[in-house]
């Protein structure tokens, strides 16, 4: 038992008594059961308890067990949800009218008791008051007392009505009618034309950073943080205007991130780049000179639109980064200001791109301004407080500071706080329009008093102040207006005519940006005229796309969406998906909403599986572009939605999610997705998942022969007419890795070809891409003739003409083949192209690949110092990345080049050191290290006993060029020891090996030596 402040909710059905007179009790009971279920779920979800059911009346209590500071808000949210959901019910009468409720909510002190027999009981006047308010409310209305209004004001709009006389009350009781829910953000352009107050220090700060950037020609990132509506964007725009007024001529572009939809990564980027091209002539010149950049930009524009079903991959993230750097670099011949607005809504890929741009363009006069809510600081990037160079605050809790010595590439953080009361009043007086002929109508109230109250209720938020003063201008009073911006937006939407509200709702389902075509698809009649009317009210704004518009204010979009009936949202989401507009996003939203409406709906499983399939397709596109954060998010959601559905969709999604996690460096995550525990009821999981587990084990060097044979037996036991081609494809990749680990390149090529055939049988372009690249790399070492290797390279270069990341292995392999056949000019051309790709796309491991091939080409031409330098550079990079076995092979190659420069002592020392680590090497490094030791010892007149181990490894080796190199080492060792016949025999083996694949250049060297 305890005395406490509680919130009591009373509600009942409208017209129940009259309905009970006309309808049989059994259908009435079914209606009541549905009604009770809606009420119980809503109350419990919001932390309340149902105290009793009395016929059609329900009493619920919030704060009975544990008080929460937002109990009043929770009660209002529960009531609002119940009101919305019961409207989907129909009375069992002949007219089947929709069901309505009326609600009363009161807060006050009460005695709360609990017993095993009676449960929770609340005793006090607050219970009677809530019941009286409920009786006072008309259909669909929620009436509250003043205490509820005070507690819930930040979250709901409430309009006071004249005090009412209630039964049992000596005096009339002040009450309020709840008019709507609040949204949470400010608006673009919401403060247009209003006075800018109390932001001088921040504007000065931004101007100072700009002048430093222009003077030192060094890039700088500044983060402007603050809550919604505080004036962050306005602050940045005013600072830019200050610069222009002072004679500066920066190129200024904006990119605005949206909180809803699929374009969190590309929409803002496209907006920024398009503005850059319009405003910087040098960018237009660059586009004319390099059509590849234009192609990337065109693909980005497509990617920023709602994805249609069957979308093909656009440019990879490396190409996007390169094209953006090129355009920014061209524009930054003069000082450039790039503003990212609402960055808290950005996808992880865009955040990563911004960080890369700051790293890559640090020597340009570029000021990057990131405008965001405070949540951004919790995400990785240069805007985090830990990584910032300096920080300044504003408003009542901060004062301007300065730290000029921070490195230019580090971030400054400017926190925009609430206005001081005096500045709030100054802004409110300005908005009142004194002396302008557009004064606020006071309705007999003192302006100073109104301004004081507005300043108090606004909590120093400029947007709140502006909307409150607008409300006063429309003949309202402060008491009639809730003190939250979102509630005012809800009230504004309510004032629209019904067609306008419906249009607003339809547009909100499409997203922050939409087209007339999409509105027409949702059944909106004559959308052009209707949209133009709403644009005239500053709700929509035309975009550059033909027939395109966007919401001016984010809260309008959010509230319009939230106020739609869920059934309507489900229908519209499904219709958009059916016509190919972002099917993954819209089907997922429809699934979530239908699950909330009817968890046992027969259509729900099928809808969830459709959403899973669409997300799988979009996630695969992102994975093929190496946009790993996006791919991981889409594929992870696909796995969740596919549970309980057809096994193939979930299996494929899980395998691709595992691939994406592995590529991102999350080995543990990649394993967990496909571990046996994640697949209950399926034994050890579907065959495809088991194959993926085996493939990961092979990559980690932990696969066993028993595991391989067990999976082979499972696949062999499949129904002959229904083989799992995807599982067989992955199984062949396991075999490929095992053969590679043992130096059996011909067998590895055979396994890769088998995997490729399975991928093509099922039309899996993702697997086909992966395998073609792998096959190109394997063929460098396999017994395939040079002509076949070069033909494979040509095929890949044609296939991946638009994706230079995937084309790079083919370029490197082509250069290697041309070097081996003695085409020095061709090899140099291919290497130069590969070098260009590596440099433009900034591929660290791509540099390793190019260095290896360049080192081989230099060695074949007798340029051993250059070859050694390249091999050592590759080894350093590989070790830093954690690829120790391959790094050791590169160190062996570097030591061999050292020996070829007649630095025999140093080479012998390095080979001896590497021999001690040969167990860590791959088979190539091990045999090359051993044969170098044998040759070095023979040069000193010693027969090295390790020659037997070389011969043993040589027997299993089917890389002709590697065999030729090792046999040539042994031939020279035999000659040094005076073993002429053995030398001739080994040289002959070297000749045969090189000749078998057409490696003309090393073949000529062996023949010349003989």
């Amino acid at each position: 038992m305890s005395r406490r402040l509680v919130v009591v909710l009373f509600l009942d059905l409208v017209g129940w008594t009259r309905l009970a007179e006309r309808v049989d009790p059994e259908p009435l009971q079914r209606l009541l059961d549905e009604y009770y279920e809606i009420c119980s779920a809503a109350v419990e979800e919001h932390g309340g308890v149902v105290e009793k059911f009395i016929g059609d009346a329900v009493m619920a209590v919030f704060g009975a067990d544990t008080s929460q500071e937002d109990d009043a808000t929770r009660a209002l949210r529960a009531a609002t949800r119940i009101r919305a959901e019961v409207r989907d019910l129909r009375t069992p009468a002949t007219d089947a009218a929709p069901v309505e409720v009326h609600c009363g909510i009161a807060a006050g002190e009460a005695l709360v008791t609990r017993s095993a027999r009676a449960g929770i009981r609340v005793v006090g006047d607050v219970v009677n008051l809530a019941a009286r308010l409920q009786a006072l409310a008309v259909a669909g209305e929620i009436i509250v007392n003043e205490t509820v209004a005070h507690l819930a004001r930040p979250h709901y709009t409430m309009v006071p009505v004249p005090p009412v006389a209630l039964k049992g009350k000596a005096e009339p009781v002040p009450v309020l009618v709840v008019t709507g829910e609040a949204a949470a953000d400010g608006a673009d352009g919401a403060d247009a034309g209003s006075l800018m107050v109390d932001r001088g220090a921040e504007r000065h700060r931004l101007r100072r950073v700009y002048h430093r950037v222009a003077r030192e020609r060094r890039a700088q990132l500044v983060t402007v943080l603050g809550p919604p509506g505080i004036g962050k964007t306005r602050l940045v725009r005013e600072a830019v205007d200050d610069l222009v007024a002072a004679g500066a001529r920066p190129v200024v572009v904006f990119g605005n991130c949206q909180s809803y939809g699929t374009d969190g990564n590309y929409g803002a980027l496209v907006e920024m780049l398009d503005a850059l091209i319009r405003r910087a002539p040098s960018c237009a010149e660059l586009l004319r000179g390099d059509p590849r950049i234009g192609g990337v930009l065109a693909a980005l524009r497509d990617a920023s639109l709602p994805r249609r079903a069957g979308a093909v991959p656009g440019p990879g993230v490396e190409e996007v980064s390169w094209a953006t750097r090129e355009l920014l670099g061209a524009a930054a011949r003069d000082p450039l200001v790039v503003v990212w607005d609402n960055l808290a809504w950005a996808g992880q890929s865009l955040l990563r791109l911004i960080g890369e741009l700051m790293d890559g363009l640090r020597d340009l006069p570029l000021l990057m301004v990131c405008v965001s809510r405070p949540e951004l600081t919790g995400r990785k990037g240069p805007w985090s407080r830990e990584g910032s160079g300096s920080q300044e605050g504003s408003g009542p809790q901060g004062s301007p500071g300065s730290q000029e010595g921070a490195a230019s590439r580090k971030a400054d953080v400017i926190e925009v706080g609430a206005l001081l009361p005096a500045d709030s009043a100054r802004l409110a007086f300005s908005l009142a329009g004194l002396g302008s002929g557009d004064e606020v109508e006071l309705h007999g109230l003192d302006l100073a008093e109104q301004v004081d109250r507005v300043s108090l209720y606004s909590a120093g938020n400029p947007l709140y102040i502006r909307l409150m003063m607008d409300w006063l201008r429309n003949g309202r009073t402060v008491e009639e207006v809730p003190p939250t911006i979102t509630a005012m937006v809800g009230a504004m939407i309510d004032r629209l005519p019904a067609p306008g509200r419906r249009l607003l709702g339809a547009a909100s389902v499409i997203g922050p940006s939409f087209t007339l075509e999409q509105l027409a698809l949702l059944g909106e009649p004559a959308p052009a005229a209707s949209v133009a009317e709403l644009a005239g009210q500053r709700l929509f704004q035309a975009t550059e796309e033909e027939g395109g518009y966007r919401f001016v204010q984010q809260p309008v979009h959010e509230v319009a969406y939230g106020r739609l009936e869920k059934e309507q949202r489900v229908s519209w989401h499904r219709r958009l998906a059916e016509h190919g507009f972002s099917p993954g996003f819209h089907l997922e939203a429809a699934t979530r909403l239908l699950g909330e409406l009817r968890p046992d709906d027969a259509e729900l499983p099928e809808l969830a599986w459709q959403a899973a399939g669409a997300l799988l397709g979009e996630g695969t596109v992102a994975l093929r572009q190496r946009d790993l954060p996006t791919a991981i998010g889409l594929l992870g959601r696909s796995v969740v939605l596919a549970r309980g559905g057809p096994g193939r969709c979930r299996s494929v999604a899980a395998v691709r999610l595992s691939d994406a996690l592995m590529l991102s460096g999350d080995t543990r995550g990649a394993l967990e997705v496909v571990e046996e525990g994640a697949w209950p009821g399926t034994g050890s999981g579907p065959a495809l998942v088991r194959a993926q587990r085996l493939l990961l084990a092979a990559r980690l060097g932990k696969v066993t022969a028993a595991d391989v044979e067990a999976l082979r037996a499972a696949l062999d036991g499949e129904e002959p007419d229904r083989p799992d081609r995807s599982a067989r494809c992955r199984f062949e990749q396991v075999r490929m890795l095992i053969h590679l680990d043992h130096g059996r390149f011909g067998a590895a090529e055979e396994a890769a070809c088998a995997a490729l055939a399975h991928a093509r049988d099922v039309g899996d372009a993702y697997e086909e891409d992966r395998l073609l690249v792998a096959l190109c790399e394997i063929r460098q070492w396999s017994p395939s003739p040079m002509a076949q290797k070069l033909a494979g390279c040509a095929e890949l270069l044609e296939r991946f003409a638009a994706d230079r990341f995937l084309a790079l292995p083919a370029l490197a392999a082509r250069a290697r083949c041309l070097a081996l056949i003695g085409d020095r000019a061709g090899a140099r051309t291919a290497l130069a192209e590969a070098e260009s790709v590596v440099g433009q796309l900034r591929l660290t491991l791509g540099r390793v690949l190019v260095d290896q091939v360049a080192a081989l080409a230099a060695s074949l031409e007798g340029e051993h110092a250059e070859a050694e330098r390249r091999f050592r550079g590759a080894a350093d990079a590989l070790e830093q990345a954690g690829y120790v076995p391959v790094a050791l092979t590169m160190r062996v190659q570097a030591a061999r080049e050292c020996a070829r420069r007649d630095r025999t002592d140093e080479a012998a020392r390095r080979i001896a050191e590497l021999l001690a680590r040969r167990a860590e090497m791959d088979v190539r490094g091990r045999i090359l290290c051993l044969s170098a030791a044998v040759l070095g010892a023979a040069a000193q007149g010693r027969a090295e006993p390790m020659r037997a181990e070389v011969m043993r490894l040589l027997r299993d080796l089917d890389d002709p060029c590697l065999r030729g190199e090792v046999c040539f080492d042994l031939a020279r060792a035999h000659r040094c020891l005076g073993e002429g016949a053995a030398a001739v025999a080994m040289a002959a083996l070297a000749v045969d090996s090189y000749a078998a694949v057409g490696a003309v250049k090393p073949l000529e060297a062996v023949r010349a030596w003989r």
Side-chain angles (χ1 to χ4, degrees), residues 182 215 344-345 534 763 858 870 901:
R215 181 177 65 253
W345 303 127
L534 292 178
R870 292 275 198 166
R901 296 170 61 197

Side-chain angles (χ1 to χ4, degrees), residues 956-967:
D956 294 331
L957 197 67
D958 64 356
D959 175 355
C961 290
L962 183 56
R963 285 180 63 86
E965 188 171 1
V966 172
C967 287

Side-chain angles (χ1 to χ4, degrees), residues 221-242:
L221 185 142
V222 175
T223 306
V224 180
L225 296 176
I230 206 67
K232 305 179 293 293
T233 304
R234 174 78 182 278
L235 163 66
V236 174
R237 293 185 183 276
E238 293 281 344
V240 170
D241 291 343
D242 292 345

Side-chain angles (χ1 to χ4, degrees), residues 537-554:
Q537 299 179 43
R538 295 195 303 168
L539 295 176
F540 297 151
Q541 183 178 73
T543 64
E544 293 184 0
E545 182 183 3
E546 183 177 355
Y549 290 84
R550 69 178 183 88
F551 282 84
V552 173
Q553 300 182 0
Q554 188 72 27

